[in-house]
Amino acid sequence: MAEKSDFRVPLVISAAIHIGVIVIVAMGVDFDEKPKVVPQASAPAVQAVVVNQQKVAEHVEKLKAEKREAERKEKARQDELDRQAQEAKLAREREQARIKKLEQERKQKEIETQNAANAAKAAKLKEQQEKEKAAQAEAQRKKKEAERKAAEEAAAKAEAKRKQEEAAAKKAAEERKRKEEAERKRKAEEAARAEQERMMQEALAAEQAALSQVRNKQVVSEVQRYTSMIRATIQRNLVVDESMRGKSCRVFIRLARDGFVTGSETLSGDSVVCRATKAAINKAGRLPVSQEADVYEKLKEINLTVQPQF
């Protein structure tokens, strides 16, 4: 059965080829010519089948070769696409790195520009201050120069009229000396008052520091005292049993100014002791709290460790 199937395909192909040849020949036949005698084929049918089968095998091999070539070209095309994609990826990464570097350089330049602007602004301000200082110094110098000239002119006039105005000049000198002495005493008194004020300020600051230290100690003592009172209040309301012996619970408590418990939270510890502690806090409702503001500030949110007492 397999052998018949092997011969059937070549025979069909051979028949198709022959029919095609006949059609082509028929289309090229000149019907005006006289029919020629076609010699009968003397080769047996088996030989034609073998020849056609060989052609079919060659054609199949050709198709396989073409398929392999197409696969090779497709693989080459895919490899080229992969290579191009890799190159594009590398180019994109290089471009991203370049953009990142440019951005860093831009930021650095912005920083440098800002620093330069700040420096220029500071330099300009310094220059302006120096100009103002120089202008003040120049004004003072001119003032002193004018005073000096006026004094020289007055001295010259006084010298010219020395004999006539000797008494007046002596009196003026004494008056000037008196004023200078009065000015010196005034400055000395101002300096003494400033020094006294400084010493008083230092003494006051030292006294305030000492008072603050004493108050801090008082606050710490009060906080400790009220913390003990709060713990004692919770202990009084705590329902204990033998299973709690040696166990404890750490809780966070938030208090209002009047001692009302506005919130509590279990932080850690034995679950049974913690439940009993929460119940004791809720039962108490209000806990001892100081009316002093600085003590209350340290008591309004506290962490306590509660351990059942037997």
Side-chain angles (χ1 to χ4, degrees), residues 249-280:
C249 177
R250 188 164 179 79
V251 292
F252 165 79
I253 304 173
R254 184 180 293 109
L255 300 173
R257 290 300 297 264
D258 60 353
F260 183 76
V261 178
T262 60
S264 63
E265 181 181 348
T266 299
L267 300 177
S268 62
D270 181 72
S271 59
V272 176
V273 177
C274 287
R275 283 196 299 270
T277 300
K278 289 274 286 185

Side-chain angles (χ1 to χ4, degrees), residues 174-234:
E174 290 175 352
E175 182 67 16
R176 185 171 59 253
K177 184 176 180 181
R178 184 186 66 79
K179 288 182 178 180
E180 289 177 352
E181 182 65 20
E183 181 66 13
R184 184 186 65 77
K185 288 181 179 180
R186 186 186 65 79
K187 289 182 178 179
E189 289 173 357
E190 287 184 353
R193 283 197 300 271
E195 179 64 17
Q196 186 178 6
E197 180 68 19
R198 184 187 66 79
M199 293 174 65
M200 289 178 64
Q201 290 293 335
E202 288 181 353
L204 182 61
E207 183 180 358
Q208 290 294 334
L211 291 174
S212 177
Q213 186 174 6
V214 170
R215 180 55 185 164
N216 287 337
K217 289 182 179 179
Q218 292 175 347
V219 169
V220 171
S221 177
E222 284 295 288
V223 168
Q224 292 174 350
R225 186 167 72 88
Y226 274 94
T227 300
S228 297
M229 293 169 63
I230 291 171
R231 184 180 288 108
T233 301
I234 296 173

Side-chain angles (χ1 to χ4, degrees), residues 52-107:
N52 290 333
Q53 188 174 6
Q54 182 178 0
K55 288 182 179 180
V56 169
E58 291 175 354
H59 183 66
V60 170
E61 286 300 322
K62 181 179 179 182
L63 291 176
K64 289 181 179 180
E66 289 176 351
K67 182 178 180 182
R68 287 193 297 272
E69 181 63 18
E71 291 176 348
R72 184 191 66 76
K73 289 182 178 180
E74 178 62 20
K75 185 177 183 302
R77 187 180 72 84
Q78 288 295 334
D79 292 343
E80 178 63 18
L81 290 175
D82 292 342
R83 184 188 67 77
Q84 292 177 359
Q86 184 65 21
E87 288 182 355
K89 180 181 178 182
L90 294 175
R92 187 167 59 253
E93 291 175 352
R94 287 193 297 270
E95 180 63 17
Q96 290 175 351
R98 186 182 71 83
I99 292 172
K100 184 177 180 181
K101 183 178 179 182
L102 290 175
E103 179 64 15
Q104 292 174 348
E105 292 176 353
R106 182 188 66 77
K107 290 182 178 178

